[in-house]
Amino acid sequence: AQKVTQAQTEISVVEKEDVTLDCVYETRDTTYYLFWYKQPPSGELVFLIRRNSFDEQNEISGRYSWNFQKSTSSFNFTITASQVVDSAVYFCALRGNNAGNMLTFGGGTRLMVKP
Amino acid sequence: DSGVTQTPKHLITATGQRVTLRCSPRSGDLSVYWYQQSLDQGLQFLIQYYNGEERAKGNILERFSAQQFPDLHSELNLSSLELGDSALYFCASSGEKGAPREQYFGPGTRLTVT
C-alpha cells in the first residue's frame, strides 16, 4: 500500500520568511513518482513539480525548491521569501509504478502568509 | 488554465437524486481520472479511463459510475445521492505514453447534496 504523510496541517508565516513543507511517503515500488500540487483559495489544483525516484537531484524554480531524499523517503518543498500569493493548501502526491496510475495524496498543508 | 474543463461548476441537489458531471481533457490527452475531495476523506482517486477503456479503479462507490466517450470526454454519474456525497469532484487528464506524466486538473465541480 502507498501512503503520503504531510504532518504539518497548517503553517502561518509572515511575508518574506522562508518556509518548508514536509512530505514523507511510503511505497514498496522501486520506481515511483512524486508530485506537488497547489490549491489556492479559488479551489483548482495546480501542478508544481514531478520527480522520478531514480533522479535524486534537487530542483529550484524561482523562489521554489524541492529536496528529494530517498534515504528518508522525503520530498520537502521550500518557498523562499514567501509572499501573500503563496497562501494556499499544498499537496504532496505519490504514484507507484505498479499500483495503477492513480495519485495518492497527502492530507495537505495549509500555508498562510501574512503581510 | 490547465486546459481541462469541467461542467457544471456548482451543483445543488437533493438526497436520492442522480447527477452527471462532465469533463473534457486537455487536447491530445487520452487518460482521464476522477478524484473526490471531501473534508473527512481528503483527496481520493475514484477511477481512470484510458482511450475509452476503464484502466484503474479506486474507492468508487457502486452508486457511482463513469465512462469515456470516443471524443475522449468523460462523465461521472452519481446516483442515489446521500449527504455524505457532498464534495468537490475533480477530473484530471494526462498524456502519458509509457512513462508516467503529471496529471492536470480541471477546476472541479462542487456538489452539494441537501
Side-chain angles (χ1 to χ4, degrees), chain B residues 28-102:
Chain B
D29 284 356
L30 299 180
S31 275
V32 169
Y33 307 78
W34 287 97
Y35 291 85
Q36 179 195 59
Q37 184 178 29
S38 62
L39 280 173
D40 45 343
Q41 300 286 338
L43 261 166
Q44 285 201 102
F45 168 74
L46 295 177
I47 197 164
Q48 180 207 358
Y49 278 81
Y50 178 81
N51 203 19
E53 308 243 332
E54 183 184 302
R55 174 66 73 87
K57 223 168 182 175
N59 297 323
I60 187 166
L61 299 171
E62 280 192 19
R63 301 184 284 109
F64 296 1
S65 64
Q67 53 184 330
Q68 186 179 27
F69 295 87
D71 67 351
L72 300 178
H73 91 271
S74 177
E75 292 180 357
L76 179 67
N77 301 296
L78 316 176
S79 61
S80 303
L81 284 167
E82 302 175 0
L83 295 177
D85 297 328
S86 296
L88 189 50
Y89 291 85
F90 285 107
C91 166
S93 76
S94 70
E96 56 211 333
K97 289 180 186 176
R101 308 292 299 178
E102 48 274 14

Side-chain angles (χ1 to χ4, degrees), chain A residues 31 33 35 37 39 41-47 49-50 52 89 91 95-97 99-107 110, chain B residues 2 9 31 33 35 37 43-45 48 55-58 88 90 94 96 98-108 110:
Chain A
T31 299
Y33 307 85
F35 304 80
Y37 284 85
Q39 187 174 38
S42 49
E44 73 271 25
L45 279 166
V46 179
F47 165 75
I49 190 171
R50 170 174 58 93
N52 306 333
V89 181
F91 291 94
R95 175 188 158 161
N97 210 33
N101 300 327
M102 73 286 282
L103 295 176
T104 298
F105 283 89
R110 180 178 299 277
Chain B
S2 67
K9 194 162 176 147
S31 275
Y33 307 78
Y35 291 85
Q37 184 178 29
L43 261 166
Q44 285 201 102
F45 168 74
Q48 180 207 358
R55 174 66 73 87
K57 223 168 182 175
L88 189 50
F90 285 107
S94 70
E96 56 211 333
R101 308 292 299 178
E102 48 274 14
Q103 295 176 20
Y104 289 91
F105 283 75
R110 185 168 295 281

Side-chain angles (χ1 to χ4, degrees), chain A residues 18 23 25 39 50 53 60 65-66 76 78-79 92-93 103 109-110:
Chain A
D18 299 347
C23 172
Y25 61 91
Q39 187 174 38
R50 170 174 58 93
S53 58
I60 297 175
S65 61
W66 290 269
N76 297 337
T78 297
I79 301 175
C92 180
L103 295 176
T109 297
R110 180 178 299 277

